[in-house]
Amino acid sequence: MNQYNPSQIEAKWQNYWQKHKIFAAEFPSDKPKYYTLCMFPYPSGSGLHVGHPLSYTAIDILARYKRMKGFNVLNPMGWDAFGLPTERAALREGRHPATITTENVANFKHQLLKLGFSFDWDREISTSSVDYYRWTQWIFLKLHEKGLAYLAEVPVNWCPAQGTVLANEEVVDGKYVETGEPVERRMMKQWMLKITAYAERLLHDLDDLDWPAGVMEMQRQWIGRSEGAEVSFAIAGTEKHFIVYTTRPDTLFGATYCVLAPEHPLVESITSEEKKEEVLRYVEAAKNRSDLDRQASKEKTGVWTGSYAINPVNNERIPIWVADYVLSGYGTGAIMAVPAHDERDHAFAKTFSLPIIPVISTPEGHNIQEEAYTGDGTAINSGSFNDMDVHTFKRAIIEWLEEQKLGTGKVNYKLRDWLFSRQRYWGEPFPVVHTEDGNVHALPESALPISLPHIDAFKPTADGQPPLARAEEWLHTTWNGQKAVRETNTMPQWAGSCWYYLRYMDPNNNLAAFSPEAVSYWKDVDIYIGGVEHAVLHLLYARFWHKVLYDCGLVPTKEPFRKLFNQGMILAYSYRDSVGKYYHPSDVEKRDNQFFVQGTDTEVFSQVEKMSKSKKNTVDPLDIVKEYGTDTLRMYEMFMGPLEQVKPWQSSGCKGIRNFLQKVWRLFVDSSGQAKDFSTANRAVRKALHVAIQEADQGFSVMKFNTPISKMMEFINTVKGTTPDKKTSEIFIKILSPYAPHIAEEIWSLWGYNNTLAYEPWPIFDPSALIEDEIQIVIQVQGKLRARINVAATASKEEILEIAKNHENISNRLEGKTIIKEIFVPKKLINFVVR
Ligand code: ANZ
């Protein structure tokens, strides 16, 4: 075997690792733990593309490094296997979601095994397996026990074509993002989780996390804490009043009208006879608009109710309007409008010619009739509060409102409770029954698991019941002797991923979700890597469940993921003709710097885009493995650029890495496939080696993997084709091993080692190796050359003088004399002038 032959080497080592369970995490263990985690994949029908291994490779390299550093590493993999896309595929293909899931998982696993990741496959989990989801149901019971799960009639996004409700994030412009099918608003009885009870902690505990600033900011925005006041407005000529929420109580004197949300309970009773028809029509129309839509819309619409409110600070009568830019689900569903200082109110006031009165001083030249002023300033037109700065004013007016019993200070959150049920089949059944008397009962733990029954029709029933209503036998049960039916909604896909990192700690436990011993050893995830698209939902939901489990005394840490890293997306070149049709890159040729469909005159244009089947630009990692080998694929993914950067894939870029690995091979392996003889130590080579160790060490602390690879390349160039000494060679193979583990294991074994190098101690960086080669210094006495000395290039003046004075040719000339001058020319010369 004189050639570097990755396909042979790689299969051999992958089998070896599997067979000997080399990467099984120890438990119990005396070693310190390190828990690395990639966001587990959704096993879709299209398999992995070269974007997936990016984060897996980075985590794998880190996991391998930590093992060599003496940690007991937990590096697991599993499947986020429930969910709507599989159910849709099942409908399309006329097959069962369970069958499709099994097939897709097998395909994903086959691909992952070929990529040489050091996962502990004995800990593999799947959220759709009953051994897993019985514990998801168990956690639901905990939530229910704590009053954090409840049924409520809520407005939902109902997609008639899919026959299910959708999450807010799944609806854009009134359409289901996956299919473009229309979505309407409906009131439905749904399971809700009270995530709002954790709003303050979810916000506060962000401060202790080592997460990307952008992700934390997105969570802060999503939680949306604001401080302000609730203020009571009387309705003129009645005994009634309503309460508004405002973050700017300091602008109360500038309120020139009020607005109720169309859904506000007072709308009907305060609307005057003449206005009734118009108002009702408006309220009806608003029903079909989503909150997002209502907020985003620049055009302001609304209707006057015919009634007036009394502004509590100046007793002015101001009109009460109904408008859909005020949402019923936020604050109190009613506002005081201050057009001078709020952009939305300003736009509305302009549309309906309502007065705009400034109450905060504006900068020179600002025309308040043309544009709202939202900045700071001092109070004007505000009675006895005039001249106060806004911050003092805010505190003072809240105090005054509280004294007058007209209002109170108030903190609000944008965060809403989590709509936790779906009218779908392929999800976790709720451990809940409904008895004939209309009561709802959470089942006891002993009733778990509630298995998902096998049914073949996944569309909701004709009367709008979820598909599980068809599972007659499963559906009917009893509760304390009473007839009962099971809950037919299922949990959303987010449920399974809320706690999977805990199950990996103790995946085969069938008496508990995880043992207290396992969780007290593994604690939390040391580093979690995944796409930034999960910045809010998954990461917020998982944090919420973790905190509930913490409150139940079931986990020892307040937060699940100590450090988070977002890898950048890998894009790919796609080719499209002038009418928008995509072509596979292999069907495209380049002529005169232009691209054409092979053998035709149809010009195509190249673009860098997200990889997708429809754009024909996905690259299968196994194709790269076939052509170049897994080690090359792994290293190229890391060498493309900083891990967090978005970058385009170029298969041809693998050639450089492949050449590098070929050089490594030839350096250590002779033409008969035997390890070459080592040579003697060389200072320059040792320096290049330690530069590479240093760069690798620093890289691991910040997830930087491209520059360490270039230092390894520099090492190979410095070596210039002669095998270094034994120690240097072994250290080099060790630092290469996390990146290109197969070739490293092979060379290691050619050196006669029988064991994997996965647990060999990681080399220790030696800063002295970086010291430049020595320099020569000329020493004179009375201007005459008397000696030459070699010193380290970094030696100080004092050190050099010391060495010079002790040199035998010098010391005898200085003896009995007095040095009157020491002439020192750095890096060159010393001249002692004596008397
Ligand atoms: C008067 C005012 C004057 C306001 C001003 C702002 C600026 P955040 O920060 O998002 O909490 N608001 C209150 N409830 C609302 C609802 N249900 N739908 C739409 N808007 C609502 O914003 C709170 C501000 O948004 C509140 O403060 C209120 O307008 C509006 F110069 O009150 B403000």
Side-chain angles (χ1 to χ4, degrees):
M1 192 183 18
N2 57 352
Q3 279 293 326
Y4 167 48
N5 183 346
S7 62
Q8 245 175 48
I9 296 175
E10 292 174 357
K12 169 181 157 190
W13 288 103
Q14 285 164 13
N15 291 336
Y16 172 89
W17 295 330
Q18 277 291 93
K19 184 163 161 228
H20 298 280
K21 299 189 184 298
I22 297 297
F23 305 117
E26 275 175 35
F27 184 80
S29 170
D30 296 331
K31 288 186 184 175
K33 68 98 188 187
Y34 196 81
Y35 187 176
T36 52
L37 186 64
C38 317
M39 291 185 186
F40 64 167
Y42 179 73
S44 74
S46 30
L48 299 173
H49 58 58
V50 291
H52 292 97
L54 182 70
S55 59
Y56 306 159
T57 304
I59 275 289
D60 193 63
I61 291 173
L62 183 65
R64 286 173 181 273
Y65 167 73
K66 288 285 177 182
R67 283 188 201 100
M68 295 174 86
K69 290 289 260 186
F71 288 90
N72 178 27
V73 173
L74 175 53
N75 187 35
M77 182 41 81
W79 320 104
D80 190 12
F82 270 139
L84 191 56
T86 304
E87 206 168 303
R88 278 215 317 276
L91 280 171
R92 239 182 0 248
E93 299 167 19
R95 302 194 303 152
H96 197 269
T99 316
I100 296 181
T101 301
T102 309
E103 269 178 34
N104 291 351
V105 162
N107 181 41
F108 265 64
K109 188 166 175 183
H110 166 77
Q111 288 183 305
L112 290 178
L113 284 172
K114 293 224 162 203
L115 298 178
F117 297 125
S118 63
F119 292 128
D120 179 353
W121 285 106
D122 287 349
R123 292 174 184 259
E124 177 181 355
I125 56 170
S126 171
T127 55
S128 65
S129 102
V130 68
D131 299 332
Y132 180 86
Y133 71 69
R134 70 175 292 173
W135 302 112
T136 311
Q137 293 171 333
W138 179 78
I139 297 175
F140 175 84
L141 293 179
K142 296 279 158 211
L143 287 153
H144 191 267
E145 222 172 271
K146 292 188 94 63
L148 296 167
Y150 62 95
L151 272 169
E153 218 24 68
V154 291
V156 297
N157 306 301
W158 174 258
C159 177
Q162 293 289 331
T164 183
V165 296
L166 298 169
N168 277 331
E169 304 72 35
E170 291 168 317
V171 183
V172 171
D173 291 338
K175 300 196 177 79
Y176 178 30
V177 280
E178 296 276 334
T179 61
E181 290 154 344
V183 172
E184 57 190 50
R185 308 266 292 168
R186 268 198 193 178
M187 293 303 283
M188 278 177 64
K189 201 159 206 182
Q190 297 288 303
W191 281 99
M192 306 291 292
L193 295 188
K194 210 183 257 175
I195 189 171
T196 50
Y198 283 71
E200 192 58 46
R201 283 164 67 187
L202 287 167
L203 185 69
H204 180 259
D205 293 351
L206 281 173
D207 296 346
D208 297 331
L209 298 178
D210 182 2
W211 282 23
V215 172
M216 294 204 280
E217 189 48 33
M218 277 157 87
Q219 294 221 347
R220 286 191 188 103
Q221 296 279 343
W222 189 265
I223 296 166
R225 184 184 199 274
S226 71
E227 274 179 33
E230 285 188 349
V231 185
S232 175
F233 280 69
I235 299 169
T238 75
E239 295 291 290
K240 294 186 185 129
H241 72 280
F242 58 91
I243 296 180
V244 306
Y245 173 65
T246 175
T247 44
R248 295 291 305 273
D250 52 304
T251 62
L252 249 170
F253 287 85
T256 55
Y257 65 101
C258 282
V259 183
L260 304 183
E263 300 84 356
H264 196 284
L266 279 180
V267 169
E268 214 183 313
S269 61
I270 65 161
T271 300
S272 66
E273 273 311 312
E274 313 82 79
K275 287 282 177 184
K276 222 148 226 155
E277 209 192 310
E278 199 185 344
V279 167
L280 281 182
R281 215 175 326 119
Y282 184 81
V283 168
E284 209 41 46
K287 272 191 186 151
N288 271 328
R289 298 187 73 189
S290 76
D291 285 3
L292 269 171
D293 207 19
R294 281 162 59 163
Q295 277 176 303
S297 159
K298 284 240 159 15
E299 222 166 285
K300 296 282 176 276
T301 60
V303 186
W304 179 41
T305 60
S307 294
Y308 292 90
I310 308 293
N311 186 339
V313 287
N314 53 15
N315 293 322
E316 296 268 350
R317 271 161 62 95
I318 56 178
I320 307 174
W321 286 65
V322 177
D324 67 5
Y325 78 97
V326 174
L327 306 176
S328 61
Y330 186 64
T332 59
I335 65 157
M336 62 174 208
V338 186
H341 304 293
D342 181 278
E343 280 157 12
R344 296 158 301 178
D345 298 345
H346 197 278
F348 191 90
K350 292 287 273 190
T351 307
F352 297 102
S353 308
L354 293 158
I356 300 172
I357 300 171
V359 289
I360 303 293
S361 58
T362 58
E364 276 278 318
H366 186 103
N367 181 350
I368 204 73
Q369 299 304 320
E370 286 308 313
E371 200 187 340
Y373 174 70
T374 56
D376 284 354
T378 50
I380 56 173
N381 300 328
S382 295
S384 59
F385 295 96
N386 277 347
D387 299 330
M388 270 188 195
D389 76 275
V390 294
H391 304 286
T392 320
F393 189 1
K394 252 184 209 171
R395 275 192 302 271
I397 191 118
I398 291 175
E399 223 168 83
W400 181 84
L401 287 166
E402 285 176 350
E403 270 165 27
Q404 303 293 312
K405 306 221 176 324
L406 287 168
T408 60
K410 171 88 182 159
V411 171
N412 254 327
Y413 300 89
K414 293 255 154 59
L415 188 66
R416 298 282 79 120
D417 277 347
W418 174 12
L419 201 169
F420 192 67
S421 42
R422 300 289 184 274
Q423 293 67 53
R424 290 174 187 168
Y425 170 64
W426 196 230
E428 298 85 351
F430 281 86
V432 161
V433 296
H434 301 256
T435 41
E436 283 185 320
D437 56 12
N439 287 323
V440 184
H441 312 271
L443 293 168
E445 272 177 50
S446 59
L448 301 183
I450 305 302
S451 300
L452 183 66
H454 186 100
I455 55 169
D456 286 311
F458 326 116
K459 281 232 165 178
T461 64
D463 57 356
Q465 291 286 323
L468 281 181
R470 286 212 178 83
E472 282 290 327
E473 228 173 280
W474 175 87
L475 184 66
H476 296 286
T477 179
T478 54
W479 171 264
N480 285 341
Q482 250 195 89
K483 278 191 181 169
V485 289
R486 296 187 188 281
E487 171 67 57
T488 53
N489 284 298
T490 54
M491 298 183 200
Q493 195 181 347
W494 309 109
S497 57
C498 265
W499 72 284
Y500 74 113
Y501 59 93
L502 292 168
R503 185 65 178 169
Y504 281 139
M505 296 176 183
D506 195 10
N508 303 310
N509 192 334
N510 42 36
L511 300 174
F514 41 83
S515 72
E517 294 79 19
V519 81
S520 83
Y521 174 74
W522 292 111
K523 291 194 178 69
D524 55 359
V525 174
D526 291 273
I527 181 156
Y528 194 26
I529 186 168
V532 73
E533 67 275 15
H534 295 293
V536 178
L537 301 175
H538 159 58
L539 288 170
L540 197 67
Y541 294 153
R543 293 182 61 219
F544 163 47
W545 278 35
H546 192 92
K547 288 183 185 304
V548 175
L549 294 173
Y550 176 81
D551 289 349
C552 294
L554 292 163
V555 297
T557 61
K558 288 187 184 163
E559 287 284 333
F561 315 117
R562 189 180 304 202
K563 179 176 176 136
L564 176 73
F565 193 92
N566 298 129
Q567 81 276 14
M569 201 185 307
I570 293 191
L571 307 176
Y573 285 92
S574 61
Y575 298 90
R576 206 161 61 149
D577 66 16
S578 56
V579 291
K581 186 174 168 206
Y582 281 95
Y583 297 85
H584 193 270
S586 63
D587 296 330
V588 172
E589 63 185 359
K590 198 171 182 181
R591 300 198 297 261
D592 304 332
N593 272 329
Q594 276 167 296
F595 295 102
F596 296 93
V597 177
Q598 291 256 358
T600 73
D601 286 336
T602 310
E603 192 178 356
V604 290
F605 306 92
S606 86
Q607 238 171 321
V608 172
E609 291 180 276
K610 203 173 151 174
M611 271 186 251
S612 91
K613 259 183 154 177
S614 65
K615 292 181 179 142
K616 302 205 165 120
N617 65 348
T618 59
V619 181
D620 182 341
L622 292 197
D623 288 345
I624 301 295
V625 166
K626 235 178 265 157
E627 193 169 349
Y628 299 98
T630 298
D631 281 339
T632 296
L633 171 69
R634 291 169 59 103
M635 282 192 105
Y636 175 61
E637 297 245 357
M638 295 299 103
F639 194 59
M640 287 171 76
L643 190 56
E644 64 279 12
Q645 231 165 56
V646 177
K647 45 208 178 263
W649 177 265
Q650 272 173 302
S651 298
S652 59
C654 292
K655 285 186 196 138
I657 297 288
R658 171 63 193 255
N659 286 343
F660 162 71
L661 290 175
Q662 189 110 35
K663 278 188 200 166
V664 171
W665 182 259
R666 286 209 202 103
L667 190 61
F668 299 111
V669 184
D670 71 14
S671 58
S672 66
Q674 301 299 310
K676 285 186 179 172
D677 289 340
F678 297 110
S679 70
T680 47
N682 167 327
R683 210 183 156 82
V685 169
R686 188 173 135 78
K687 181 184 168 196
L689 178 73
H690 281 269
V691 167
I693 302 175
Q694 186 185 34
E695 192 71 23
D697 278 332
Q698 287 169 356
F700 284 115
S701 61
V702 290
M703 299 297 276
K704 187 171 182 190
F705 302 113
N706 54 333
T707 51
I709 295 176
S710 39
K711 297 297 175 202
M712 287 187 237
M713 291 174 166
E714 279 169 28
F715 170 82
I716 290 293
N717 291 337
T718 311
V719 167
K720 294 200 202 78
T722 37
T723 313
D725 61 292
K726 183 167 189 281
K727 194 168 158 206
T728 305
S729 300
E730 291 191 359
I731 291 180
F732 175 74
I733 286 302
K734 284 187 194 173
I735 60 171
L736 176 69
S737 70
Y739 296 80
H742 308 82
I743 191 175
E745 290 269 29
E746 183 67 19
I747 292 172
W748 188 250
S749 78
L750 287 176
W751 285 334
Y753 294 108
N754 299 323
N755 260 338
T756 172
L757 55 52
Y759 294 90
E760 286 298 314
W762 181 257
I764 294 170
F765 167 62
D766 177 2
S768 76
L770 266 45
I771 291 170
E772 276 300 328
D773 287 354
E774 293 173 342
I775 48 171
Q776 200 173 60
I777 300 216
V778 166
I779 307 169
Q780 302 173 334
V781 179
Q782 309 292 57
K784 285 212 175 72
L785 172 68
R786 295 298 178 195
R788 293 174 205 271
I789 57 167
N790 287 332
V791 295
T794 50
S796 67
K797 179 179 173 184
E798 287 66 33
E799 284 165 342
I800 296 172
L801 282 171
E802 183 72 19
I803 296 168
K805 284 178 197 165
N806 288 319
H807 192 280
E808 54 179 349
N809 285 353
I810 306 297
S811 60
N812 53 19
R813 291 194 157 79
L814 298 182
E815 216 173 88
K817 307 257 168 71
T818 317
I819 299 173
I820 51 173
K821 210 170 178 187
E822 293 168 346
I823 299 166
F824 180 81
V825 185
K827 299 201 164 135
K828 285 213 172 81
L829 162 152
I830 295 174
N831 184 14
F832 295 106
V833 181
V834 294
R835 197 173 42 199

